[in-house]
C-alpha cells in the first residue's frame, strides 16, 4: 500500500506541475533549476489532496465505521492493525508538501510575493492541523531545515495549535495586501488565485481548529464565532461553490484517490453504522450517492471488523474520477457554527438554523440538486429540528456532521472530542498496539521516527495512549 500510494502521488504531481503556466516567476535567473513558486504551490496542493484521500481519509473513516475492510490493508485497519502504515501520511506530508510549502513561504517572502506567501501559510496550517490530529505532538519549530537539523524535536500539541492559528492570521494579513503581480493565477489549482476565497477559507479553518479544543479551552466556542464573524458580518466560506477543495481530472493519473482505490483494489465496503443512518426513515437523499446497492439490490453495511464483500460499496459521488477531495467546506462551516452556538447557549435558535443550512448544503452538493425541493425540505426539517436538552442537541448536530463529512478525516477528530455518534469497537481489534481492543484515539509515532530520530517521543507505540492534549 505504501509503495502504491507513493507511485500514485508521484504520477499525480507530475501531472499537476506539468499543466501549470509558470510565467516569469523563476526567482533566480542564475539558478534555473530552482523550484518556482507556481510549481511549489501546484505540487503541494495536489499531494495534500491525494494523500488526504488515499491515506488519511481511508484509514480514519475505517476507525469511524463509515467503511469496513474486506481484504488487504483495509481489513487490517478495520481491526486496528495500523503500525505498518501509520507513518505513510507523516512521511508524505513532511517530505513533500510541508517541506515545499516551507520553501515557498521563504522564497515568496524574499521576493515580496504576498499572495503566494499567504496561501502557503494557510496550506501549511492545514497540513499541521492534519498531522497533529493524527499524531499529537509533531515537529514544527525545528522542522524543514534539511541536513542542518535532520532530527527536529516534536513540539507539544498545545504549541502546534498556537502555531496553526498564527499561520492563519499571518496568511490572512498577507493576502489582504496582495495584488495581481505577487499572487498566483491558474497555478493555484484550488481557487485560481482568488484572494477573497482564500481569506474566507482561512477564517473557517481558524474556527475548525478552535473547536478542536472544546474539551480544554473554555473559550473555544466563542473563538469559533469570532473567527466566522466580524461582529455580525459572516466572513467564513459562504457557499458550497467556494469550498476549499481540490478538483481532480479524468485522466488515469489525474483521477481522485477514491476512484483509483475502487478501480485498483476495491477492498472497502460501507460500514453498518453509516448505512443504517442513511436508511433511517425518511431515507437520506444522499443514500444512492454515498452507497451502491449490495448484491441483493438493497443497501447494507458491514459490522466493524467483519467486512463482507456482498455489502454495499462506496457510491458514485466519491468514486467518480473528477470528484474533488475537500479540505474544508461551507457545510462544515455551518456545522461548526451550530455546535459552537449550542456550547454557548443550548437554546440558541441560530444553532438550529445553522444545522439546517449545513444539511441543505451537503444534500444539494452531493445530489447535485437533483432531488425535488419539497423532499429535501421535509428531510431537513426531520433531521435538522433540534429537540431535547443540550446533550441531545449536540448529538443531533454531530450525527448529521458525521454523515455529511463522509470520507473526510475530520469525522475522527469529531468523534474523539465529542463522542457522537456512539460506536462499538471492532471485532478482533485487540493487538499489540491496542491491547484493550478499543477504537483508536491516535496513531503511533511513525516507526521511522522512533528508530532514527532521537528527539521523537519515547512512549510505547499505541493507538490509545498518551491521549492528545485536546482528548483528555
Amino acid at each position: 500500500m505504501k509503495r502504491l500510494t507513493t507511485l500514485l502521488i508521484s504520477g499525480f504531481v507530475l501531472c499537476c506541475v506539468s499543466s501549470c503556466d509558470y510565467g516569469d516567476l523563476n526567482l533566480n535567473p542564475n539558478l534555473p533549476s530552482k523550484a518556482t513558486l507556481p510549481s511549489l504551490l501546484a505540487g503541494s496542493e495536489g499531494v495534500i489532496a491525494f494523500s488526504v484521500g488515499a491515506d488519511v481519509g481511508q484509514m480514519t473513516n475505517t476507525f469511524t465505521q463509515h467503511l469496513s475492510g474486506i481484504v488487504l490493508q483495509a481489513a487490517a485497519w478495520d481491526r486496528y492493525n495500523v503500525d505498518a502504515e501509520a507513518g505513510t501520511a507523516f512521511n508524505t506530508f513532511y517530505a513533500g508538501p510541508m517541506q515545499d510549502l516551507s520553501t515557498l513561504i521563504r522564497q515568496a517572502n524574499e521576493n515580496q510575493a504576498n499572495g503566494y506567501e499567504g496561501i502557503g501559510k494557510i496550506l501549511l496550517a492545514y497540513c499541521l492541523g492534519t498531522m497533529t490530529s493524527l499524531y499529537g505532538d509533531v515537529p514544527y519549530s525545528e522542522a524543514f531545515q534539511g541536513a542542518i537539523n535532520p532530527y527536529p524535536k516534536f513540539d507539544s500539541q498545545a504549541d502546534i495549535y498556537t502555531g496553526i492559528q498564527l499561520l492563519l492570521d499571518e496568511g490572512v494579513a498577507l493576502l489582504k495586501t496582495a495584488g495581481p503581480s505577487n499572487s498566483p493565477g491558474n497555478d493555484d489549482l484550488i481557487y485560481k488565485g482568488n484572494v477573497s476565497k482564500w481569506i474566507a477559507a482561512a477564517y473557517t479553518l481558524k474556527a475548525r481548529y478552535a473547536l478542536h479544543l472544546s474539551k480544554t479551552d473554555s473559550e473555544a466556542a466563542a473563538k469559533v464565532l469570532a473567527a466566522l464573524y466580524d461582529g455580525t458580518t459572516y466572513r467564513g466560506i459562504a457557499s458550497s461553490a467556494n469550498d476549499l477543495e481540490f478538483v481532480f481530472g479524468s485522466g488515469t493519473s489525474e483521477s481522485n484517490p477514491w476512484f483509483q482505490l475502487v478501480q485498483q483494489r476495491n477492498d472497502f465496503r460501507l460500514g453498518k453504522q453509516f448505512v443504517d443512518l442513511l436508511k433511517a426513515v425518511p431515507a437520506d437523499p444522499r443514500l444512492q450517492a454515498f452507497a451502491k446497492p449490495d448484491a441483493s439490490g438493497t443497501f447494507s453495511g458491514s459490522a466493524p471488523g467483519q467486512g463482507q464483500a456482498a455489502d454495499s460499496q462506496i457510491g458514485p459521488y466519491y468514486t467518480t474520477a473528477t470528484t474533488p477531495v475537500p479540505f474544508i467546506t461551507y457545510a462544515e462551516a455551518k456545522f461548526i457554527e451550530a455546535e459552537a452556538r449550542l456550547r454557548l447557549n443550548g437554546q440558541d435558535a441560530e444553532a438550529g438554523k445553522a444545522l439546517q443550512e449545513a444539511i441543505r448544503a451537503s444534500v444539494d452538493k452531493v445530489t447535485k440538486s437533483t432531488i425535488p425541493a419539497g423532499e429535501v425540505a421535509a428531510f431537513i426539517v426531520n433531521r435538522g429540528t433540534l429537540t431535547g436538552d443540550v446533550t441531545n442537541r449536540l448529538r443531533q448536530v454531530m450525527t448529521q456532521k458525521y454523515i455529511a463529512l463522509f470520507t473526510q478525516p475530520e469525522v475522527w477528530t469529531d468523534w474523539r472530542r465529542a463522542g457522537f455518534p456512539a460506536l462499538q469497537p471492532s471485532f478482533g481489534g485487540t493487538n499489540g498496539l491496542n491491547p484493550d481492543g478499543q477504537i483508536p484515539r491516535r496513531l503511533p509515532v511513525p516507526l521511522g521516527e522512533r528508530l532514527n530520530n532521537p528527539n521523537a517521543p519515547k512512549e510505547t507505540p499505541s493507538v490509545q495512549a498518551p491521549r492528545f492534549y485536546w482528548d483528555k
Side-chain angles (χ1 to χ4, degrees), residues 277-287 375 379 383:
L277 286 171
L278 292 171
K279 289 169 60 179
V281 178
D284 195 303
R286 295 162 290 191
L287 173 61
E375 182 179 334
F379 174 78
R383 296 294 199 274

Side-chain angles (χ1 to χ4, degrees), residues 75-220:
W77 295 349
D78 204 13
R79 295 190 176 192
Y80 313 147
N81 289 294
V82 300
D83 200 24
E85 301 294 331
T88 301
F90 183 98
N91 296 332
T92 298
F93 270 73
Y94 272 94
M98 293 176 76
Q99 179 66 59
D100 287 347
L101 289 169
S102 176
T103 301
L104 181 150
I105 290 166
R106 184 182 66 254
Q107 293 184 0
N109 178 267
E110 292 170 354
N111 289 268
Q112 298 181 325
N114 289 12
Y116 282 95
E117 186 180 359
I119 293 170
K121 290 193 175 219
I122 293 167
L123 286 171
L124 184 57
Y126 173 83
C127 290
L128 277 173
T130 302
M131 291 295 96
T132 194
S133 297
L134 297 176
Y135 303 101
D137 297 350
V138 291
Y140 176 48
S141 62
E142 295 182 359
F144 320 125
Q145 298 178 34
I148 296 173
N149 184 6
Y151 306 119
K153 72 175 183 179
F154 281 57
D155 295 290
S156 73
Q157 190 171 58
D159 287 345
I160 293 295
Y161 275 92
T162 299
I164 288 169
Q165 293 291 351
L166 180 60
L167 281 169
L168 292 169
D169 286 339
E170 291 174 346
V172 168
L174 284 159
L175 290 177
K176 287 181 176 179
T177 64
S181 64
N182 61 18
S183 298
N186 287 336
D187 48 305
D188 169 14
L189 302 180
I190 295 177
Y191 284 143
K192 307 302 181 187
N194 188 310
V195 167
S196 296
K197 291 182 179 180
W198 276 110
I199 290 173
Y203 282 124
T204 310
L205 287 169
K206 283 180 65 63
R208 171 197 277 179
Y209 295 123
L211 196 56
H212 279 195
L213 307 185
S214 59
K215 282 185 177 181
T216 60
D217 183 355
S218 61
E219 297 180 358

Side-chain angles (χ1 to χ4, degrees), residues 287-374:
L287 173 61
Q288 295 187 50
F290 283 158
K292 289 183 179 179
D294 61 19
S296 66
T298 59
F299 295 94
S300 61
S302 296
Q306 303 177 72
Q308 301 294 318
D311 283 330
S312 291
Q313 300 178 35
I314 303 169
Y317 180 71
Y318 278 110
T319 57
T320 299
T322 56
T323 297
V325 164
F327 294 13
I328 193 165
T329 64
Y330 173 59
E332 184 183 343
K334 301 312 285 185
F335 281 118
I336 289 170
E337 179 180 345
E339 180 186 349
R341 289 188 180 280
L342 286 176
R343 291 188 181 278
L344 288 170
N345 174 6
Q347 301 302 315
D348 186 349
E350 294 299 315
K353 293 178 183 178
L355 171 60
Q356 293 196 7
E357 181 59 21
I359 298 171
R360 184 186 306 279
S362 174
V363 170
D364 286 349
K365 182 164 187 172
V366 170
T367 65
K368 305 184 188 304
S369 299
T370 59
I371 307 298

Side-chain angles (χ1 to χ4, degrees), residues 365-415:
K365 182 164 187 172
V366 170
T367 65
K368 305 184 188 304
S369 299
T370 59
I371 307 298
E375 182 179 334
V376 173
F379 174 78
I380 290 171
V381 169
N382 181 274
R383 296 294 199 274
T385 300
L386 293 171
T387 60
D389 61 14
V390 175
T391 299
N392 190 66
R393 290 169 179 238
L394 284 170
R395 181 184 294 109
Q396 289 178 265
V397 170
M398 301 312 296
T399 299
Q400 290 307 308
K401 189 178 180 187
Y402 171 91
I403 295 169
L405 268 60
F406 172 44
T407 74
Q408 299 175 48
E410 191 65 14
V411 290
W412 188 37
T413 297
D414 284 339
W415 178 80

Side-chain angles (χ1 to χ4, degrees), residues 12 14 71 134 139 162 241 276 365 375 381 389 417 433 470:
F12 182 75
L14 287 173
V71 293
L134 297 176
T162 299
D276 286 352
K365 182 164 187 172
E375 182 179 334
V381 169
D389 61 14
R417 65 176 184 80
L433 293 180
W470 49 256

